Amino acid sequence: MVGPMVFTYGLLMSFVLSGASRNAKMRRPNPPVVQYTGYVLCGLTGALSAMLFAIAALGFFGAPLI
């Protein structure tokens, strides 16, 4: 179940970063779809990293994880 989600995340991130890089080289603005998808992926990345950090901190201090 995690495999398809990671594949989709990587595919979307690759699409957003390559599109933004190409638009920066051509000095034109990003389309709204690319910009909003980038914002969503950035939010997901930040939220996931915060959750994983909290799990690691709780595990380090000996608190039950579940």
Side-chain angles (χ1 to χ4, degrees):
M1 187 66 186
V2 174
M5 290 189 304
V6 170
F7 177 74
T8 304
Y9 175 83
L11 190 67
L12 284 173
M13 188 63 81
S14 174
F15 171 74
V16 167
L17 290 177
S18 66
S21 174
R22 186 182 71 238
N23 289 335
K25 286 180 185 177
M26 298 177 77
R27 296 184 184 212
R28 62 180 186 184
N30 292 322
V33 171
V34 172
Q35 188 172 358
Y36 296 142
T37 305
Y39 285 148
V40 168
L41 291 174
C42 183
L44 287 174
T45 303
L48 182 62
S49 67
M51 287 189 293
L52 290 174
F53 179 76
I55 289 172
L58 289 173
F60 178 76
F61 291 117
L65 298 176
I66 296 178

